[in-house]
Amino acid sequence: MSKYLLNKFLFMVDRDPELVERYRSEPRELVTWWEAEYANTVLNCHTDEASTWLRFDDVEREALATHDHVKLFELGAHPFLTLTLFIAVFERDNTEPLEYQKSYGARLAHFSMPYPDIAT
């Protein structure tokens, strides 16, 4: 399991409107593609610099592919990264102000202190 890789995915997808739309419409395909193309890139570095060992485990891959922010939080993904990406993906489906944000929080309400460790 790699909290770093989960957070890297959330960060990179959230900052690219095209990837946000792909994540909304075909999440499983995007996760597979991103893992193959970007998981081992080093951010803000020339393209020849890369690692070779980073990959999602099956639980992480499934949580990303099913937009399961509760499971991602449980796995240690940073809640700010999941919230900002999921607002971009889902807020348009709601009609009330902050409706998605309230729903997001409600689904995490069963967690109590100490929260899952989000340190990478």
Side-chain angles (χ1 to χ4, degrees), residues 11-83:
F11 177 85
M12 287 183 70
V13 172
D14 189 36
R15 274 134 192 90
D16 185 327
E18 193 174 298
L19 293 181
V20 169
E21 292 309 312
R22 285 183 60 194
Y23 190 50
R24 178 180 166 86
S25 65
E26 50 186 39
R28 190 169 306 278
E29 292 81 0
L30 177 72
V31 170
T32 301
W33 172 83
W34 186 92
E35 187 175 13
E37 296 295 321
Y38 289 103
N40 287 294
T41 61
V42 179
L43 296 179
N44 301 317
C45 196
H46 61 83
T47 57
D48 292 335
E49 191 73 35
S51 66
T52 58
W53 61 274
L54 291 172
R55 66 173 89 36
F56 296 123
D57 66 26
D58 292 340
V59 174
E60 294 167 329
R61 198 174 293 110
E62 187 63 18
L64 288 168
T66 58
H67 298 139
D68 188 347
H69 75 268
V70 176
K71 182 53 123 178
L72 291 169
F73 182 66
E74 184 180 297
L75 293 170
H78 197 287
F80 179 77
L81 295 173
T82 55
L83 179 60

Side-chain angles (χ1 to χ4, degrees), residues 74-100:
E74 184 180 297
L75 293 170
H78 197 287
F80 179 77
L81 295 173
T82 55
L83 179 60
T84 57
L85 174 57
F86 285 22
I87 286 171
V89 171
F90 297 115
E91 188 173 46
R92 66 189 96 168
D93 298 333
N94 297 283
T95 57
E96 297 295 320
L98 300 174
E99 184 177 356
Y100 180 76

